[in-house]
Amino acid sequence: MGERDVPRHVAVIMDGNGRWAKKRLLPRGAGHRAGMNRMIGLAEHVFDRGIRYLTLFALSTENLSRPREELEGLYALFREYFPRNARTLREKGICLRVIGDRSLLPGDVVSLIEAGEALTAQGERGMLLLAIGYGGRQDILHAVNEAVRRGKEVTLEGFSAMLSTGGVPDPDLVIRTGRELRISNFLLWQSAYSELYFTDVLFPDFSDREMDKAIEAYACRERRFGKL
Ligand code: IPE
Ligand code: IPE
Ligand code: MG
């Protein structure tokens, strides 16, 4: 595979944690833990392959309407994993950036996010974007309202820069694990010309090898961007 065929930015809709647990007769939280355990290894693998940006969709705006017990379990996992993972990311030279509406998250989780971002800010090997409390429509709406406040027409580039992913190139490849064939309010604006890859593999089972398969599939795609 040539340098040219390696995507710069890969984004993953991490779906299937609940079904992974169900298959094993475990509570859903065990699936979320297994998914969480996969994240750092996957990031390392991706950056080893020369990819510069990895976005992981961990929690959507709509997921925040799940039962309280499930959300509390997820926040408990964030509390447990965030400080540890932030230290690991710093050691590995990976910069963490969290996108999504922080006002929807518990205050102490927001503090951990901020601490993790500050700790890893110097990382130059790659950027891990974690989408938590994220919605594509909400991202666009937030930028629209900002544009209205500024009172000036915006360009395509100017608008992209106002989104939560400002400064990050659009994803070349969007992967969804867990069998569903939909985008579920992920990076709507940013994925206009992304290559899409769907796999039945549930996120906790999405191994380095599975990621390689997706990257290989990407290398075989012909991207035309509407041209001949
Ligand atoms: C994805 O796993 C992670 C989150 C949305 C929090 P799910 O929790 O949606 O897992 P399934 O789809 O029920 O298997
Ligand atoms: C999509 O998964 C969101 C994340 C993986 C964070 P969902 O499980 O929420 O998607 P739907 O409800 O099946 O569309
Ligand atoms: Mg799901």
Side-chain angles (χ1 to χ4, degrees), residues 22-190:
K22 194 172 175 199
K23 254 174 57 180
R24 289 165 178 75
L25 307 176
L26 293 169
R28 290 179 57 82
H32 292 314
R33 181 177 288 278
M36 202 77 95
N37 279 330
R38 193 57 209 111
M39 287 167 58
I40 297 290
L42 197 61
E44 269 208 89
H45 179 64
V46 156
F47 298 129
D48 278 347
R49 299 282 319 250
I51 291 155
R52 300 289 302 156
Y53 303 89
L54 174 68
T55 301
L56 297 176
F57 195 15
L59 193 68
S60 71
T61 320
E62 292 72 23
N63 290 151
L64 297 172
S65 307
R66 288 191 181 186
R68 203 190 133 101
E69 193 192 330
E70 170 136 353
L71 288 177
E72 281 308 323
L74 279 166
Y75 297 144
L77 283 172
F78 289 154
R79 290 182 184 107
E80 181 185 336
Y81 277 78
F82 240 97
R84 196 195 315 162
N85 284 356
R87 282 195 299 275
T88 309
L89 291 173
R90 182 193 164 97
E91 279 162 24
K92 313 271 182 203
I94 298 167
C95 168
L96 174 72
R97 176 161 158 189
V98 177
I99 59 172
D101 186 349
R102 295 182 191 192
S103 73
L104 303 174
L105 304 175
D108 64 324
V109 171
V110 175
S111 301
L112 292 175
I113 288 172
E114 287 167 354
E117 286 179 330
L119 190 71
T120 61
Q122 308 305 323
E124 289 193 340
R125 184 166 153 213
M127 183 185 281
L128 173 62
L129 292 102
L130 210 51
I132 304 178
Y134 179 85
R137 286 181 168 176
Q138 290 79 357
D139 198 0
I140 292 169
L141 198 63
H142 181 267
V144 166
N145 284 327
E146 179 57 30
V148 169
R149 261 192 298 276
R150 291 184 196 175
K152 255 194 356 214
E153 282 190 24
V154 284
T155 59
L156 283 173
E157 293 74 22
F159 191 74
S160 290
M162 288 162 73
L163 295 168
S164 63
T165 47
V168 174
D170 287 341
D172 300 294
L173 172 63
V174 173
I175 299 170
R176 182 175 185 138
T177 64
R179 202 179 310 137
E180 310 296 355
L181 305 177
R182 52 180 173 256
I183 295 295
S184 299
N185 201 18
F186 192 33
L187 301 167
L188 298 180
W189 172 280
Q190 298 89 332

